[in-house]
Amino acid sequence: GCYQCLYAYKQSRQIGNISRQTALETFNQILNSRHKVRKIKSISEISINSLFDSELEKKFIEALKRASKNNRQISLKPEIYNNKQGYRLKLNDTIWMIEPQVDLDKEKGVDIKSKPDFIIYPRNEVGRPIAVFTDGFEYHKDIIHEDSKKRMALIQSGKYIVWSLSWKDVENEFDPISDYYKNPFDSSLFKTNPLIGKLSLQNIVESVSKKTSFELLLDVLEDTSILDKLYKYVFAYSFG
């Protein structure tokens, strides 16, 4: 970019978002699909990514890009994965691949067919992929029973970790919202539960007690050993 347009002083706040490599990748995608070009009436008809089914899914990817805070070192770059547009996510030294809109069925070891919005695959460490569902209230409020059956099938397959995010979990990364959810980790129940002490869970209670589901997902992506502590925590919660 020259210093009279993209690199002009008035663009100083955006310099970090200007990338020649991203521009080349975008132009290559356009040129490689030039035989599919068709006329439209308005740019509002254009989907940012044809693999995204909803605005919430687009916001999830953007939230990941913006999540470089609280001493996290995060990079998210477009990358072809399983022969379609995906993303390469790096948190500190941990690398994951993100694939949107993945069909899962009996052929893949899942009894009830489902399509997670994203599956996040571990690249440089052993572990199960994380199936992420982004649930907007308007669409999901009447099909909770169906959602639950699909997610339990994923869990029972033993092949996936299931993670659910609401609109506000994601929106909170753009515009902080206070007290929009009931936090099960911040309860007087655990102050009187002897299992918390016996399982040495007090530290995990304190570290997750004020975090949203999105923030906890980032914690897990950064260090999957946190899952073992959360499993113990749920065990203690049940007895409490």
Side-chain angles (χ1 to χ4, degrees):
C2 81
Y3 289 93
Q4 292 185 353
C5 50
L6 290 181
Y7 276 176
Y9 177 75
K10 63 183 179 182
Q11 291 280 74
S12 58
R13 292 188 178 182
Q14 302 298 327
I15 295 296
N17 296 323
I18 297 172
S19 165
R20 178 183 287 109
Q21 183 60 38
T22 300
L24 288 171
E25 291 171 358
T26 302
F27 280 124
N28 278 329
Q29 288 179 9
I30 293 170
L31 292 173
N32 290 338
S33 301
R34 58 187 179 275
H35 61 285
K36 300 178 182 177
V37 171
R38 61 183 178 83
K39 280 189 176 183
I40 59 172
K41 292 181 179 180
S42 167
I43 61 171
S44 63
E45 296 179 27
I46 299 173
S47 171
I48 295 175
N49 186 331
S50 60
L51 292 173
F52 290 164
D53 275 356
S54 74
E55 182 68 21
L56 182 53
E57 292 163 42
K58 298 171 194 173
K59 276 186 169 284
F60 171 71
I61 291 296
E62 184 60 32
L64 286 177
K65 292 179 182 177
R66 297 186 178 204
S68 186
K69 58 185 179 181
N70 298 330
N71 297 319
R72 297 186 199 271
Q73 295 179 356
I74 297 177
S75 72
L76 184 71
K77 297 181 179 179
E79 189 168 309
I80 300 299
Y81 189 72
N82 286 341
N83 297 317
K84 63 183 179 184
Q85 180 66 62
Y87 298 88
R88 183 180 186 272
L89 173 67
K90 184 177 181 182
L91 284 89
N92 295 334
D93 297 323
T94 308
I95 299 173
W96 300 81
M97 298 305 298
I98 302 177
E99 181 182 4
Q101 299 295 320
V102 183
D103 288 306
L104 299 176
D105 52 26
K106 289 187 177 181
E107 288 186 2
K108 295 185 178 179
V110 181
D111 286 339
I112 299 176
K113 188 176 180 179
S114 63
K115 182 191 280 189
D117 298 309
F118 301 94
I119 293 188
I120 306 178
Y121 301 90
R123 170 56 70 88
N124 64 342
E125 64 175 75
V126 178
R128 288 175 290 164
I130 302 174
V132 177
F133 292 86
T134 55
D135 295 344
F137 176 76
E138 189 63 32
Y139 178 73
H140 288 272
K141 63 184 174 66
D142 295 323
I143 59 169
I144 292 175
H145 58 296
E146 292 294 333
D147 287 345
S148 298
K149 284 194 293 185
K150 291 175 181 178
R151 290 167 210 201
M152 283 306 300
L154 284 171
I155 293 169
Q156 290 170 348
S157 75
K159 297 177 180 291
Y160 300 92
I161 296 163
V162 174
W163 207 277
S164 298
L165 296 167
S166 71
W167 173 272
K168 289 185 177 179
D169 286 327
V170 177
E171 186 63 30
N172 188 66
E173 295 303 302
F174 298 88
D175 186 16
I177 310 164
S178 61
D179 300 326
Y180 71 86
Y181 65 100
K182 181 178 180 181
N183 193 332
F185 298 113
D186 191 15
S187 169
S188 59
L189 173 69
F190 301 112
K191 296 176 181 177
T192 58
N193 185 348
L195 275 176
I196 292 294
K198 289 181 182 289
L199 294 173
S200 302
L201 292 173
Q202 195 58 47
N203 287 341
I204 192 70
V205 171
E206 293 172 359
S207 66
V208 304
S209 64
K210 298 193 183 299
K211 292 189 177 182
T212 67
S213 188
F214 185 88
E215 292 169 329
L216 284 173
L217 174 60
L218 291 178
D219 285 349
V220 170
L221 291 172
E222 199 168 12
D223 179 8
T224 54
S225 68
I226 291 173
L227 283 171
D228 293 330
K229 297 176 181 177
L230 291 177
Y231 291 148
K232 290 180 181 178
Y233 192 85
V234 172
F235 177 78
Y237 184 95
S238 300
F239 275 87

